[in-house]
Amino acid sequence: MSSADLKKVGLKVTLPRLKVLEILEQEGEEHHLTAEDVYKILIEQGEEVGLATVYRVLTQFEQAGIVRRLNFENNISVFELDTGDNHDHLVCVKTGRVKEFVDPIIEERIKEIAKEKGYELSAHSLVIYGTLKDDLK
Amino acid sequence: MSSADLKKVGLKVTLPRLKVLEILEQEGEEHHLTAEDVYKILIEQGEEVGLATVYRVLTQFEQAGIVRRLNFENNISVFELDTGDNHDHLVCVKTGRVKEFVDPIIEERIKEIAKEKGYELSAHSLVIYGTLKDDLK
DNA sequence: GTACTTGCAAAGGATTTGCAGTCCG
DNA sequence: CGGACTGCAAATCCTTTGCAAGTAC
């Protein structure tokens, strides 16, 4: 993910955009960040950005298909790089930690259900909430 | 669903509560209402309630297990009576219409996945987005 | 009566927008 | 340069809260 990718989707290569991308890449699979999280990291790194810019950049990335926006229970959005594998999420209700998974059986059933009911499938969102047993103490 | 049910969960039987229940019942399976929707219906019916009360009542109902609160893509909450069948939802991206379904295979897989990953399952949320073919025009 | 409820207005948190200045290409 | 981009502050949207008055039991 680099400046070339930004150009490809018609976005100018600017510092805020590169930095946001960088952060999302570093955080990797285990982290799913709030716009505010991204903003705080930027500030910690000494960058001068506004929270509004972070929101704008993330929204643009979402529209460009670079980023996925997820809405968990609490009605707050978290963002992750869109790796194209279309995975789902498992959220620990105790720690908030997020794990990703892909399940072909569910994937398949979702397609069938859409078909059965006469819908042209466009997307789905599956979140499993539970307590990671190690976290039960 | 009646005044007896309210008492059972420790809520006093008041007009706003009865009216909200009534509306949720009338709307039935096809409708999933926002707090604002419920409020508007109440106003149309000539009831004198505040939007805040609607939110409070719905939240109390949710905690009492009478109502389910769902969060679809846009970060706004919709409410439905909790019939206890733990169904999932299919949303038409064109009209916003919501259809319910229960799929034992998916249900089963979700349990297995939670187990595999070492989680104690507490809930899940599955929403399928698509276009109802009849709506394609 | 008294604790639970309510309506209203004000507060709150997350996200968006208006605008003047700044920067990429 | 010129349009795209940014930071800041103000605005917006949905939802919650504080408080004084009202109501169920």
Side-chain angles (χ1 to χ4, degrees):
Chain A
M1 205 59 73
S2 66
S3 47
D5 299 288
L6 286 179
K7 281 186 189 142
K8 210 184 307 171
V9 296
L11 293 173
K12 282 188 177 167
V13 179
T14 66
L15 205 65
R17 285 179 182 155
L18 287 173
K19 286 291 172 190
V20 170
L21 266 188
E22 195 181 297
I23 289 172
L24 290 173
E25 268 163 0
Q26 285 171 3
E27 297 297 329
E29 117 123 50
E30 279 308 315
H31 286 83
H32 294 73
L33 305 173
T34 278
E36 185 104 31
D37 290 337
V38 174
Y39 173 68
K40 281 187 189 143
I41 294 174
L42 283 168
I43 296 302
E44 275 170 26
Q45 295 183 353
E47 297 299 332
E48 293 215 338
V49 279
L51 178 54
T53 301
V54 174
Y55 273 105
R56 270 186 293 230
V57 168
L58 286 170
T59 303
Q60 291 157 347
F61 284 1
E62 187 195 4
Q63 285 161 357
I66 298 173
V67 155
R68 284 218 291 170
R69 175 191 217 122
L70 311 169
N71 301 301
F72 295 152
E73 290 278 90
N74 31 224
N75 270 358
I76 108 166
S77 302
V78 294
F79 298 85
E80 64 174 20
L81 277 185
D82 188 344
T83 55
D85 66 355
N86 201 31
H87 57 254
D88 294 305
H89 299 85
L90 229 162
V91 179
C92 178
V93 295
K94 205 139 191 168
T95 63
R97 194 156 31 222
V98 181
K99 202 171 198 50
E100 305 179 349
F101 71 89
V102 180
D103 188 83
I105 297 177
I106 290 181
E107 221 64 22
E108 186 50 36
R109 276 306 289 153
I110 287 175
K111 281 184 199 142
E112 285 171 22
I113 289 165
K115 194 168 184 182
E116 275 169 26
K117 308 279 182 189
Y119 283 71
E120 183 160 306
L121 182 59
S122 62
H124 77 266
S125 144
L126 169 59
V127 186
I128 302 180
Y129 298 91
T131 314
L132 185 53
K133 280 172 185 152
D134 296 342
D135 291 340
L136 279 174
K137 243 208 334 309
Chain B
M1 204 61 69
S2 66
S3 48
D5 299 289
L6 287 180
K7 282 186 187 139
K8 208 184 310 170
V9 297
L11 293 172
K12 282 188 176 164
V13 179
T14 65
L15 205 66
R17 285 177 182 155
L18 287 174
K19 285 292 172 190
V20 170
L21 266 187
E22 194 182 295
I23 288 171
L24 290 174
E25 268 161 0
Q26 285 172 2
E27 296 298 328
E29 117 123 50
E30 280 307 317
H31 286 82
H32 294 73
L33 305 174
T34 63
E36 184 103 31
D37 290 337
V38 173
Y39 172 68
K40 281 189 188 142
I41 294 175
L42 284 169
I43 296 301
E44 274 170 26
Q45 296 184 353
E47 298 299 332
E48 293 216 337
V49 280
L51 177 55
T53 300
V54 174
Y55 273 105
R56 270 186 296 232
V57 168
L58 287 171
T59 303
Q60 292 157 348
F61 285 1
E62 187 195 2
Q63 285 160 359
I66 299 173
V67 154
R68 285 215 294 167
R69 174 192 215 118
L70 312 169
N71 301 300
F72 295 153
E73 290 278 88
N74 32 224
N75 271 358
I76 109 164
S77 302
V78 295
F79 299 84
E80 63 173 21
L81 277 186
D82 188 345
T83 54
D85 65 354
N86 200 32
H87 57 253
D88 294 305
H89 297 85
L90 228 162
V91 179
C92 178
V93 295
K94 206 140 190 165
T95 62
R97 193 155 35 220
V98 180
K99 199 169 198 54
E100 306 179 351
F101 71 89
V102 181
D103 188 82
I105 298 177
I106 290 180
E107 220 65 21
E108 187 50 37
R109 276 307 288 153
I110 286 174
K111 281 183 199 143
E112 285 170 22
I113 290 166
K115 195 168 185 183
E116 276 170 25
K117 308 279 182 189
Y119 283 71
E120 184 161 305
L121 183 61
S122 62
H124 77 266
S125 144
L126 169 58
V127 187
I128 301 181
Y129 298 91
T131 314
L132 184 53
K133 280 172 186 151
D134 295 342
D135 291 341
L136 279 174
K137 239 204 342 302

